[in-house]
Amino acid sequence: MMYFIFAFLLIFSIILTGKSSNLVNYENNLIVNHNNILENGNIKHSDGIRNQDKGKNTKSEWWKNGIIYQIYPRSFKDTTGNGLGDLRGVIEKIPYLKYLGIDTVWLNPIHPSAGIDSGYDIIDYRNIDELFGSMDDYDELIEQLHNNGIKILLDFVPNHTSDQHEWFVKSVQNIEPYSDYYVWVDAKYVNGTRQVPNNWISIMKNSMWEWNEQRQQYYLHQFYKEQPDLNYKNPLVQKEIKDVMRFWLDKGVDGFRIDAFGCLYERQDLKDAPSIPKIPEKQQRIGYTKCLDESYDEIKSWRVVLDEYKKINSETKIMTVEIYGDMDLLKKCFGNTTHPGAHFVLNFCLGGLAHHPAKSFVHNLNESLFKSTPGAWPSWVIGNHDIGHPTTTFGEEMIDGIHMVQLLLPGTPVVYMGDELGMTNTYLRNDQSPNDINNIFLRERGRTPFQWDSTAQAGFSNKTITWLPVNPNYVTRNVEYEKSATKSHLKIFKALVNLRKLEVFCTGNVEFYEVSKYVFAFSRSNSILRSYFVILNLGSEIEIINLRKIKRLLPYKMKVRISSLNAEQYTGEIIRTDSFTLRPNAALVLESSFF
């Protein structure tokens, strides 16, 4: 019966067009999804991302199909005239979020903070920093977002607090029950000289230990000394953190992005970490102060809290975790079938492939998609508040193509605000970077104000001097300009967001191709009637492309659905797949359709 239907469709297409090439095209599309094989050295998976992730289950989970948009509140929109973004600024710009078509907002920390680490040194987990507004402003924000069909994730910082937090102040004074809320250790003495307990080095390149004169002990800090680490060996600390999660869940938050979860536990024997030349310090910390098994167990216990709320109203509350490391470390975050962990992990592999050859793209994306824990859901991060804007990393000519990869692969894209415009990092002098001491990480170069229009301060604020300088390229790199342009990064981004809503990008198969040394491609398909092919020139030279050489059953002609800003092809153009040119860093989304 099935073959009869196929034959009827074939004859019908020939009658309609009178061209025998349609028979070839239809046959090509008919066979393209068959067999799970390795074809011509290209990764091919015809089961889609995972069998259990296809169909109804995938469509029902909002966090799988949607796009997460990261907002750094300090730099999004200032409504008070103090040069600093605020919650009412986010409320004001909800129409823009709707225009973009994003589904979820992730807010960087908005809690009261001492300002040492841009909000990641929290003084009070259950309140709003007055710099951003009030709890009433937060309540209105969450109500307005939900009324517009947008979820909200809060940045959650469970590893450490500010040294001004009430818990730490009382811990210094040895006031119960806070005495052991932090990691306190006695000093070592050598020939009567006080020394730190061991050789552990913080992320800030100094000792992890800070002496407290009042308590006469050292406390542990894996980040700044003003950010003491909580002691997760203390059950009371575990309970406190879960209670904080429940506080915000009760206020309607849809989930959390967990900061620095891998730092929660450290070796109890305080053994010195090895000093290995040419091995990054962060790798040397693994098994000593990073990624201990107990940290993963803590994620599982937090998942239990989230699932409690799902049982109440059948709405999934999610948790995504930040971790930098190899695939084995990422896998453990997902837990197992009986004790699930994170819903997904923030995957930075794509952001690390700038200027790499196509082979690296094929290998790394295949690792992320098909060699992770069964049932694990992928995500794609190419920029954020720490690593900056990907346009700076990849270059303006390539950013559209990288967005094609990020938005059209299976998984959840996490987009940093301004990346849709092609915003770039801004040069800052040391005196212009108040929260990035001595520009150690150059992080604040990617945190400058959002560029709304070409007026003074890019429409971000009416104050002459903002908390960070606006990038000088704001005159043409802004929302207003790009919305009115015939073609722009913003319009290409929006077109990709709309395209991604098609069923094929939710449940379709994916194949990766090394077209040439510097040309990477992948395809998405889930039926014999329509498929998509994304191709990106990663190199610095014009490439003559013959896609049928690497995929014999591809149609002879395909339509350009979306083209990058620097591509010579235009949207709607029909091209021959066996002979076309692709400019350096240019990218195309090609569409094949039987009808």
Side-chain angles (χ1 to χ4, degrees), residues 68-256:
I68 296 176
Y69 188 77
Q70 180 191 356
I71 291 180
Y72 194 72
R74 292 170 181 258
S75 295
F76 197 57
K77 183 65 173 74
D78 169 24
T79 63
T80 62
N82 64 356
L84 190 78
D86 47 63
L87 294 181
R88 300 215 65 82
V90 181
I91 294 172
E92 178 184 310
K93 294 301 182 180
I94 287 177
Y96 175 69
L97 303 177
K98 290 283 288 183
Y99 164 81
L100 276 185
I102 63 97
D103 307 88
T104 304
V105 163
W106 154 30
L107 289 183
N108 284 106
I110 54 176
H111 309 299
S113 163
I116 297 297
D117 191 18
S118 297
Y120 286 90
D121 50 326
I122 294 173
I123 294 176
D124 183 356
Y125 281 114
R126 292 179 172 85
N127 217 326
I128 302 295
D129 194 317
E130 62 181 13
L131 290 174
F132 300 123
S134 65
M135 188 64 78
D136 288 340
D137 292 327
Y138 168 80
D139 291 338
E140 182 178 346
L141 170 63
I142 201 167
E143 180 181 8
Q144 292 298 325
L145 286 172
H146 285 166
N147 287 345
N148 282 275
I150 300 174
K151 307 286 187 181
I152 180 172
L153 306 182
L154 288 187
D155 221 330
F156 190 44
V157 190
N159 176 70
H160 50 266
T161 70
S162 165
D163 59 359
Q164 297 180 32
H165 196 292
E166 178 188 14
W167 299 345
F168 187 75
V169 172
K170 291 183 176 180
S171 190
V172 168
Q173 300 173 52
N174 250 324
I175 297 174
E176 295 296 343
Y178 303 101
S179 296
D180 295 325
Y181 266 42
Y182 296 84
V183 181
W184 293 100
V185 176
D186 291 333
K188 291 195 307 185
Y189 286 90
V190 178
N191 298 325
T193 301
R194 187 184 73 223
Q195 294 187 357
V196 295
N198 56 34
N199 71 344
W200 293 351
I201 301 298
S202 78
I203 293 173
M204 303 307 167
K205 311 297 183 184
N206 52 16
S207 173
M208 283 190 186
W209 301 99
E210 183 70 16
W211 179 254
N212 183 269
E213 191 67 28
Q214 180 175 351
R215 180 148 167 163
Q216 290 290 296
Q217 283 183 307
Y218 283 100
Y219 66 85
L220 181 75
H221 62 91
Q222 297 199 47
F223 295 86
Y224 291 112
K225 64 182 178 64
E226 293 86 356
Q227 296 170 290
D229 274 38
L230 287 163
N231 176 20
Y232 274 84
K233 287 293 184 180
N234 185 340
L236 294 178
V237 170
Q238 298 176 22
K239 181 179 183 302
E240 290 272 19
I241 293 301
K242 291 175 186 175
D243 286 346
V244 171
M245 295 179 73
R246 291 188 176 97
F247 175 85
W248 292 105
L249 288 166
D250 288 340
K251 292 188 72 66
V253 71
D254 298 293
F256 303 95

Side-chain angles (χ1 to χ4, degrees), residues 75-78 81-84 423 448-475 477-478:
S75 295
F76 197 57
K77 183 65 173 74
D78 169 24
N82 64 356
L84 190 78
M423 276 183 61
T448 53
F450 193 92
Q451 295 159 206
W452 293 103
D453 55 43
S454 59
T455 62
Q457 307 301 3
F460 163 72
S461 174
N462 60 12
K463 189 175 178 62
T464 303
I465 298 178
T466 52
W467 85 280
L468 287 177
V470 174
N471 193 309
N473 66 12
Y474 78 91
V475 177
R477 194 69 58 83
N478 63 69

Side-chain angles (χ1 to χ4, degrees), residues 389 392 424-428 444-446 448 451 469-473:
H389 291 293
T392 296
T424 58
N425 294 351
T426 306
Y427 171 76
L428 298 174
E444 292 193 342
R445 296 186 176 190
T448 53
Q451 295 159 206
V470 174
N471 193 309
N473 66 12

Side-chain angles (χ1 to χ4, degrees), residues 46-57:
S46 59
D47 289 334
I49 179 168
R50 293 275 184 259
N51 280 335
Q52 64 265 41
D53 285 331
K54 295 179 70 174
K56 184 177 179 180
N57 181 56

Side-chain angles (χ1 to χ4, degrees), residues 331-343:
K331 287 179 181 179
K332 295 171 66 176
C333 295
F334 292 101
N336 52 49
T337 54
T338 57
H339 296 87
H343 291 79

Side-chain angles (χ1 to χ4, degrees), residues 464-514:
T464 303
I465 298 178
T466 52
W467 85 280
L468 287 177
V470 174
N471 193 309
N473 66 12
Y474 78 91
V475 177
T476 56
R477 194 69 58 83
N478 63 69
V479 173
E480 184 180 78
Y481 184 91
E482 295 197 27
K483 284 178 74 172
S484 62
T486 303
K487 190 173 184 180
S488 66
H489 295 306
L490 176 59
K491 286 192 171 180
I492 292 169
F493 182 90
K494 183 169 171 57
L496 289 168
V497 172
N498 291 336
L499 184 63
R500 148 182 189 87
K501 295 176 182 178
L502 297 179
E503 177 67 22
V504 62
F505 296 106
C506 295
T507 60
N509 308 325
V510 61
E511 304 174 39
F512 298 124
Y513 306 92
E514 185 182 351

Side-chain angles (χ1 to χ4, degrees), residues 387-405:
I387 61 180
H389 291 293
T391 306
T392 296
T393 306
F394 289 94
E396 182 179 355
E397 294 78 13
M398 199 188 294
I399 189 61
D400 297 326
I402 294 301
H403 276 144
M404 290 175 186
V405 179

